[in-house]
């Protein structure tokens, strides 16, 4: 199954611009000639309007009468049900829908609504059984309500900013974590501008992250589209943006935007051709050996693949697993909600081994060590466990802000964690040399020196958290 990512608007007066019907048909032809058994239309942002759905699916069906067509969409704008019905009537073989309790907004269109919009809906499914399934998922969703992103209603603004459904909720959480929750409107506007800066690209993982990262930086630093274009050679752009411009994700439709690309890369090397063709071979056996040595014998081939694709995320998971064990065996409420004193919890470690746990009381937090005693009953026997209560030991660090009028003062481009400091006091640097590596919600940014000179002050260390515009380095410029 090969996926064609849908973007733009085929029903617009310009026929979708560079993403017109010929673009999709040519891409589909390449897939079919390469041996694709199924053609998927991946509408990751829910941009496929009913009229456009009829145009696209009808054209694909005429050109490829014997190839199954699979349609995937999101319902951010609220038109998903109408669009899926249009796809069905135009000849789609498969459509993605969600049980009612889990449907709508950035999820998929409602299964019940789509089925009841088709001719003779009862001939397709036993709706009473669907109701039973939906009742189950209604209860499950309550257990996971702490993860609800807060997108309560549809919003046709998606036709303007084109943020994919999965990314929309992630970006909302990311913005809140970076202290930009009150500027969510501006984040969405910046996403539109960032997409234009990068060349109006197809936004799907990982290219959508490139656009989102640039948008977050623009809002954090109060940068307009014009600012980014005119100051590209002096901005600390996210690593994902730099790598996209280098060609690590391939070449976008219509080519890279110039002169922005050349200015932003500052002479960084380019990737010619298909990125995968020039990659070094990956030794999966050696990776597994290293992971087993570092984390233990529980490492599987699946874990190796996870590490190969997302090393930092897997390492976080592995450290959590080795600290707390396999928490997947716990019920959801035990993981996501504080345990209630006096309530009995049941924990099945494995077949034939069941534990009954009842929290009894919490001791006082030691102000020096931040340790706290937890009293509970395990299968009726009294127990005591001493734990670290890190939240009680939190301290507030007030940092000096960088003076925007002093070019030799380097401030943080956003709220972030310091992953690595690459210079020390007394080191000579040239303009553009890397000073440190920051990470904010999986968005990495290399902060470079704005001037040539000597590092006279380093105000941050690896592992620290910093706020936007916090002073990190002072560089004394070279005397001419």
């Amino acid at each position: 199954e090969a996926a064609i990512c849908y973007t733009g608007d085929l029903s617009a007066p310009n026929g979708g611009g560079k993403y017109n019907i010929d673009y999709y048909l040519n891409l589909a032809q390449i897939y079919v000639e390469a041996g694709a058994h199924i053609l998927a239309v991946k509408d990751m942002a829910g941009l496929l309007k009913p009229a456009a759905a009829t145009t696209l699916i009808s054209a694909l069906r005429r050109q490829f009468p014997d190839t199954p067509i699979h349609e995937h969409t999101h319902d951010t704008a609220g038109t998903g049900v109408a669009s899926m019905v249009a796809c069905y009537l135009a000849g789609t073989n498969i459509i993605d829908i969600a049980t009612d309790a889990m449907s709508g907004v950035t999820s998929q269109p409602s299964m019940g609504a789509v089925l009841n919009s088709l001719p003779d809906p009862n001939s397709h499914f036993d709706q009473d059984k669907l109701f039973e399934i939906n009742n189950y998922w209604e209860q499950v969703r309550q257990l996971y309500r702490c993860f609800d992103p807060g997108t309560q209603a549809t919003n046709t603004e998606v036709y303007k900013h084109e943020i994919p459904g999965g990314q929309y909720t992630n970006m909302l959480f990311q913005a809140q974590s970076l202290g930009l929750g009150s500027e969510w409107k501006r984040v969405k506007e910046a996403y539109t501008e960032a997409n234009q800066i990068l060349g109006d690209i197809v936004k799907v993982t990982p290219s959508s992250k490139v656009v989102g990262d640039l948008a977050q930086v623009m809002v954090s630093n109060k940068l307009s589209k014009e600012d980014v274009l005119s100051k590209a050679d002096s901005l600390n752009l996210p690593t994902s943006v730099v790598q996209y411009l280098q060609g690590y994700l391939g070449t976008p439709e219509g080519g890279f935007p110039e002169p922005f690309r050349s200015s932003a890369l500052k002479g960084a090397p380019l990737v010619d051709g298909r990125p995968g063709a020039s990659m070094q071979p990956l030794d999966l056996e050696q990776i597994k050996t290293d992971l087993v040595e570092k984390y233990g014998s529980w490492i599987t081939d699946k874990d190796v693949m996870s590490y190969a694709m997302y090393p930092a995320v897997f390492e976080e998971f592995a450290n959590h697993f080795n600290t707390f064990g396999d928490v997947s065996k716990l019920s959801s409420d035990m993981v996501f909600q504080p345990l209630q004193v006096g309530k009995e919890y049941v924990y099945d470690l494995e077949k034939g081994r069941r534990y009954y746990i009842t929290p009894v009381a919490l001791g006082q937090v030691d102000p020096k060590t931040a340790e706290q005693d937890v009293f509970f009953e395990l299968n009726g026997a009294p127990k005591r466990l001493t734990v670290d209560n890190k939240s009680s030991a939190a301290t507030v660090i007030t940092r000096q802000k960088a003076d925007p009028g002093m070019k030799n003062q380097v401030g943080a481009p956003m709220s972030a964690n310091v992953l690595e400091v690459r210079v020390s006091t007394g080191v000579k640097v040239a303009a553009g040399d890397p000073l440190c590596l920051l990470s904010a919600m999986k968005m990495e940014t290399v902060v470079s020196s704005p001037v040539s000179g000597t590092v006279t002050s380093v105000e941050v260390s690896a592992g620290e958290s910093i706020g936007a515009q916090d002073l990190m380095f002072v560089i004394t410029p070279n005397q001419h």
Side-chain angles (χ1 to χ4, degrees):
E1 180 170 359
I4 304 167
C5 293
Y6 180 83
T7 193
D9 182 9
L10 277 178
S11 61
N14 68 349
K18 64 179 178 179
Y19 300 110
N20 54 33
I21 192 64
D22 290 335
Y23 164 81
Y24 294 109
L25 292 178
N26 291 338
L27 194 56
Q29 186 67 46
I30 293 172
Y31 289 165
V32 171
E33 290 178 357
H37 299 144
I38 301 174
L39 286 175
V41 177
K42 181 177 173 65
D43 178 21
M44 51 277 173
L47 303 179
L48 188 64
K49 299 174 182 177
T54 300
T55 299
L56 178 58
I57 301 303
S58 297
L60 289 173
R61 178 50 66 224
R62 283 194 300 270
Q63 187 160 329
F64 309 101
D66 300 322
T67 304
I69 299 174
H70 175 188
E71 172 62 38
H72 172 87
T73 192
H74 293 259
D75 200 21
T76 308
T79 55
V81 172
S83 294
M84 291 305 95
V85 172
C87 287
Y88 171 82
L89 296 175
T92 297
N93 302 92
I94 309 166
I95 57 174
D96 288 351
I97 48 183
T99 187
D100 297 356
M102 307 294 285
S103 69
V105 198
T106 54
S107 180
Q108 278 64 57
S110 161
M111 179 184 297
V114 170
L115 293 177
N116 280 283
S117 298
L118 301 178
D120 192 12
N122 291 319
S123 66
H124 297 279
F125 291 93
D126 184 334
Q127 298 216 49
D128 287 333
K129 290 184 178 179
L130 293 180
F131 295 153
E132 290 180 18
I133 295 172
N134 190 61
N135 288 334
Y136 168 79
W137 285 106
E138 280 183 339
Q139 298 302 313
V140 170
R141 185 162 185 172
Q142 290 302 312
L143 293 175
Y144 289 82
R145 62 184 180 277
C146 56
F147 293 105
D148 195 310
T151 49
Q152 303 297 329
T154 57
N155 191 337
T156 54
E157 191 180 11
V158 69
Y159 293 134
K160 177 181 178 182
H161 56 63
E162 300 183 348
I163 301 175
Q167 186 183 25
Y168 190 95
T169 50
N170 289 340
M171 276 191 65
L172 177 57
F173 175 75
Q174 186 180 42
Q176 293 167 342
S177 300
L178 295 175
L180 302 176
S182 61
E183 298 187 69
W184 178 235
K185 177 177 180 293
R186 173 57 191 146
V187 171
K188 292 186 289 185
E189 293 172 346
Y191 192 96
T192 304
E193 296 171 356
N195 178 49
Q196 295 167 352
I197 292 170
L198 296 170
D200 185 18
I201 63 177
V202 172
K203 292 165 288 298
V204 65
T205 306
S207 61
S208 55
K209 183 180 186 300
V210 176
V211 181
D213 287 354
L214 180 55
Q216 302 276 21
V217 168
M218 291 173 65
V219 178
S220 295
N221 294 275
K222 302 186 185 307
L223 298 171
S224 65
K225 176 182 176 182
E226 291 70 26
D227 291 333
V228 175
L229 291 173
S230 63
K231 303 176 182 178
D233 59 346
S234 62
L235 294 176
N236 291 307
L237 296 174
T239 302
S240 62
V241 175
V242 175
Q243 291 180 342
Y244 157 75
L245 293 172
Q246 287 179 276
Y248 280 99
L249 303 186
T251 303
E253 181 72 13
F256 288 99
E258 291 289 2
F260 172 72
R261 184 196 194 194
S262 298
S263 298
L265 289 182
K266 309 166 193 173
L270 305 180
V271 176
D272 293 325
R274 185 174 65 84
S278 57
M279 289 178 63
Q280 293 298 315
L282 193 63
D283 190 340
L284 296 176
E285 292 183 358
Q286 184 60 49
I287 289 177
K288 186 171 185 178
T289 299
D290 294 341
L291 291 177
V292 168
E293 181 178 346
K294 185 174 183 179
Y295 296 112
S297 60
W298 57 269
I299 295 293
T300 66
D301 290 344
K302 182 178 179 181
D303 296 319
V304 172
M305 297 307 298
S306 296
Y307 175 83
M309 292 183 286
Y310 306 103
V313 176
F314 177 79
E315 288 182 340
E316 182 181 356
F317 161 77
N319 288 325
H320 186 278
F321 185 92
N322 282 345
T323 301
F324 300 103
D326 185 4
V327 298
S328 69
K329 297 181 181 298
L330 300 175
S331 61
S332 299
D333 59 337
M334 293 179 70
V335 177
F336 302 139
Q337 305 293 335
L339 301 187
Q340 300 177 26
V341 172
K343 179 179 177 179
E344 183 179 77
Y345 296 85
V346 180
Y347 168 39
D348 289 316
L349 178 61
E350 58 187 26
K351 187 175 182 179
R353 296 181 65 185
R354 171 170 290 184
Y355 294 95
Y356 295 87
I357 305 170
T358 304
V360 175
L362 297 176
Q364 295 295 317
V365 179
D366 187 320
K368 296 181 180 178
T369 64
E371 291 183 339
Q372 183 179 25
D373 287 335
V374 177
F375 300 89
F376 61 99
E377 292 182 355
L378 177 62
N379 290 349
K383 300 286 183 178
R384 184 185 71 176
L385 187 67
T386 301
V387 300
D388 292 328
N389 191 333
K390 294 181 175 61
S391 61
S392 66
T395 56
V396 178
I397 300 176
T398 302
R399 296 183 182 274
Q400 178 183 347
K401 297 293 183 181
D403 185 343
M406 302 292 291
K407 193 175 181 180
N408 67 318
Q409 292 190 9
V410 182
M414 69 193 77
S415 298
N417 295 320
V418 181
L419 293 183
E420 181 183 350
V421 177
R422 298 182 178 178
V423 296
S424 57
T425 303
V427 171
K428 295 185 179 298
V429 295
D433 282 355
L435 302 176
C436 68
L437 177 64
L438 305 180
S439 175
M441 297 299 294
K442 303 177 184 177
M443 173 174 59
E444 293 187 356
T445 301
V446 175
V447 177
S448 304
S449 177
V451 297
S452 297
T454 303
V455 179
T456 53
S457 178
V458 178
E459 301 294 332
V460 295
S461 300
E464 292 184 339
S465 297
I466 54 176
Q469 301 306 318
D470 281 355
L471 179 64
M472 298 191 296
F473 304 94
V474 177
I475 314 292
T476 299
N478 292 332
Q479 299 298 320
H480 298 289

